[in-house]
């Protein structure tokens, strides 16, 4: 079955760290760029980061640049998001999303999301 | 403030037609493809339209997309109560080197 399954969310104090994982199955993981998209409670979707298929190219939203690191382990079909120096406004559901083809830029597969709550 | 501008809400009666606009600039919509996503309450987003006007398999032809210049439009005809959801446009912004989403539009089927 083609799917993405996020894990690693939870409650963390401001200034803390958390690592999210996204396990992919049912497609050739290395062939596709992968993304993290988040949604704060009651708010819209916000693109967070993209990593190319071989992991060599990454992009970040200004709001997370310098604090978050996206990476992937193609041998494990897994995407990661290392989140450091977390702030209250990082509280959101974090979705893993597969980019179909970069030149067309659309997300054709989404995970169910994992909730990150930053609070003391 | 989102890079792409959508109306916060639209509404129409069952069976009617509605359009949702998405306005951007030359660095995003003007030179890149637009996609649309439907998010039902409490669920993950789902791809509705890609490459401006194409529908994935399983998406009914009641949903359509178009693009002109720096704006895109999602159209929904024959509205059904199950179409009540939030709708988002998205594209790549070449100047920002970043993905961008619209702020989202809440569709109410009266």
């Amino acid at each position: 079955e083609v799917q993405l399954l996020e894990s690693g969310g939870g409650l963390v104090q401001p200034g803390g760290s958390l690592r999210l994982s996204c396990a992919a199955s049912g497609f050739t993981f290395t062939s596709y760029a992968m993304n993290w998209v988040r949604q704060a409670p009651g708010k819209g979707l916000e693109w967070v980061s993209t990593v190319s298929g071989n992991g060599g190219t990454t992009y970040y939203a200004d709001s997370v640049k310098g604090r978050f690191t996206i990476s992937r382990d193609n041998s494990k079909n897994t995407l990661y998001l290392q989140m450091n120096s977390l702030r209250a406004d990082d509280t959101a559901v974090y979705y893993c999303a597969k980019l179909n083809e970069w030149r067309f830029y659309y997300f054709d597969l989404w995970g169910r999301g994992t909730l990150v709550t930053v609070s003391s | 403030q989102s890079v792409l501008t959508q109306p916060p809400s639209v509404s129409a009666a069952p069976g009617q037609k509605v359009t949702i606009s998405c306005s951007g600039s030359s660095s995003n919509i003007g030179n890149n493809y637009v996609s649309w996503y439907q998010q039902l309450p409490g669920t993950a987003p789902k791809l509705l339209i890609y490459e401006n006007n194409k529908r994935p398999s399983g998406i009914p032809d009641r949903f359509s997309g178009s693009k002109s210049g720096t704006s895109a439009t999602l159209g929904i005809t024959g509205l059904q109560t199950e179409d009540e959801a939030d709708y988002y446009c998205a594209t790549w912004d070449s100047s920002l080197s970043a993905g961008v989403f619209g702020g989202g539009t809440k569709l109410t089927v009266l």
Side-chain angles (χ1 to χ4, degrees), chain B residues 42-110:
Chain B
T43 69
K46 181 177 79 171
L47 178 65
L48 207 57
I49 297 289
Y50 66 99
E51 292 179 39
N52 302 331
N53 55 19
K54 297 180 181 179
R55 284 176 288 105
S57 60
I59 300 299
D61 59 5
R62 300 188 297 105
F63 295 89
S64 64
S66 64
K67 184 183 113 170
S68 178
T70 60
S71 293
T73 302
L74 173 69
I76 311 173
T77 59
L79 277 171
Q80 302 176 2
T81 54
E82 53 262 40
D83 296 333
E84 280 207 344
D86 293 322
Y87 293 84
Y88 296 89
C89 57
T91 187
W92 179 255
D93 191 297
S94 304
S95 294
L96 298 174
S97 291
V100 289
F101 282 93
T105 299
K106 182 176 181 60
L107 168 64
T108 301
V109 181
L110 302 168

Side-chain angles (χ1 to χ4, degrees), chain A residues 107 110, chain B residues 36-40 43-49 58-60:
Chain A
F107 308 109
W110 295 71
Chain B
W36 290 89
Y37 303 87
Q38 178 192 59
Q39 187 176 34
L40 298 170
T43 69
K46 181 177 79 171
L47 178 65
L48 207 57
I49 297 289
I59 300 299

Side-chain angles (χ1 to χ4, degrees), chain A residues 37 39 43-45 47 59 95 102-108 110-111, chain B residues 33 35 37 39 43-45 47 50-51 88 91-92 97-99 101:
Chain A
V37 176
Q39 186 170 35
K43 303 297 185 182
L45 301 174
W47 172 83
Y59 297 94
Y95 295 102
W102 202 298
R103 61 183 171 137
F104 299 129
Y105 203 78
Y106 60 95
F107 308 109
D108 62 353
W110 295 71
Chain B
Y33 290 95
S35 54
Y37 303 87
Q39 187 176 34
T43 69
L47 178 65
Y50 66 99
E51 292 179 39
Y88 296 89
T91 187
W92 179 255
S97 291
F101 282 93

Side-chain angles (χ1 to χ4, degrees), chain A residues 18-116:
Chain A
L18 209 57
R19 188 177 84 155
L20 306 183
S21 300
C22 171
S25 60
F27 63 96
T28 305
F29 186 65
T30 59
S31 295
Y32 298 96
M34 295 296 295
N35 303 262
W36 289 99
V37 176
R38 69 184 180 182
Q39 186 170 35
K43 303 297 185 182
L45 301 174
E46 178 188 14
W47 172 83
V48 173
S49 184
T50 298
V51 61
S52 61
N54 64 10
T57 302
T58 57
Y59 297 94
Y60 296 93
D62 285 345
S63 58
V64 306
K65 202 171 293 183
R67 301 186 299 123
F68 290 10
T69 302
I70 192 171
S71 63
R72 61 193 296 162
D73 185 336
N74 287 341
S75 69
K76 297 181 179 179
N77 287 354
T78 302
L79 173 72
Y80 301 102
L81 185 68
Q82 177 66 43
M83 304 186 295
N84 298 330
S85 302
L86 282 162
R87 311 185 303 222
D89 62 359
D90 293 318
T91 294
V93 174
Y94 285 74
Y95 295 102
C96 167
K98 168 180 165 282
L99 194 67
N100 183 275
E101 194 169 336
W102 202 298
R103 61 183 171 137
F104 299 129
Y105 203 78
Y106 60 95
F107 308 109
D108 62 353
L109 181 65
W110 295 71
R112 291 185 177 183
T114 186
L115 176 62
V116 173

